[in-house]
Amino acid sequence: MSNERIPVSPFRYLLCPSNALLVTCCDAEGRSNIITITWLIPVSIRPPLVGMSIGPTRHSYRLIQATGEFVINTAPYQISQQALFCGLRSGRDVDKFALTGLTPGEALRVHPPIIEECTAHLECRVLRDIEAGDHRFVIGEVLAAYARPGSLADGLYDLSRIHPLLHLGRNRFTSTLSESVEPPLPT
Ligand SMILES: Cc1cc2nc3c(=O)[nH]c(=O)nc-3n(C[C@H](O)[C@H](O)[C@H](O)COP(=O)(O)O)c2cc1C
């Protein structure tokens, strides 16, 4: 059987589903914003670094560039509607906390707020900002990381209790099975 050949530009959908994350940031006066981000990966363990691909035209990029701080909030499936809203509207025009009803909470080490409805929070400080095609690749150092009580089992998400929001492409979302498997190691 032959493979389905697709145009190159939607290559990114072949890498889905991936975590749909809500990244929070704020301006110098403390006015905060939320951007939906799926292009975000760990890039180093020691030091703990993440890399996020963000469009330079995003209002959030300007805020992150100005303050050097952001928080990654992992979203549960239950807030897919709010996540889509934060990915389709700009903080230049609207107050996303007010319009989504999401609750800001105080972070431990940085100025942008955490989102109380989210499962886990990674507080980050910008280390590098690299040109990457039509996006910027922002590398952040993770200063603090914590999860909602009861969401982890032995340090991993407890999928009987947590349903992470996963992006399937375009405006479609999905989540995990309520189980996880550990396949046998290769011999
Ligand atoms: C599911 C989803 C995932 C997205 N992922 C990214 C991403 O990884 N990087 C990015 O720059 N924009 C991404 N976007 C687009 C931004 O979230 C969108 O442009 C947003 O309105 C920018 O808001 P802001 O202007 O308030 O920063 C995504 C949008 C959606 C709906």
Side-chain angles (χ1 to χ4, degrees), residues 50-52 54 61 64 70 126 128-130 136-140:
V50 290
M52 165 173 72
I54 180 166
Y61 174 69
I64 292 168
F70 60 96
V126 174
R128 291 188 65 187
D129 181 347
I130 303 160
R136 306 287 307 183
F137 193 64
V138 172
I139 297 182

Side-chain angles (χ1 to χ4, degrees), residues 15 17-24 35-43 49-54 64 70-74 122 124 135-140 142:
L15 300 172
S18 49
N19 273 314
L21 302 160
L22 295 180
V23 170
T24 42
I35 177 173
T36 305
I37 290 280
T38 49
W39 296 358
L40 195 149
I41 52 166
V43 293
L49 304 179
V50 290
M52 165 173 72
S53 194
I54 180 166
I64 292 168
F70 60 96
V71 179
I72 303 162
N73 301 272
T74 69
L122 284 76
C124 303
H135 279 58
R136 306 287 307 183
F137 193 64
V138 172
I139 297 182
V142 181

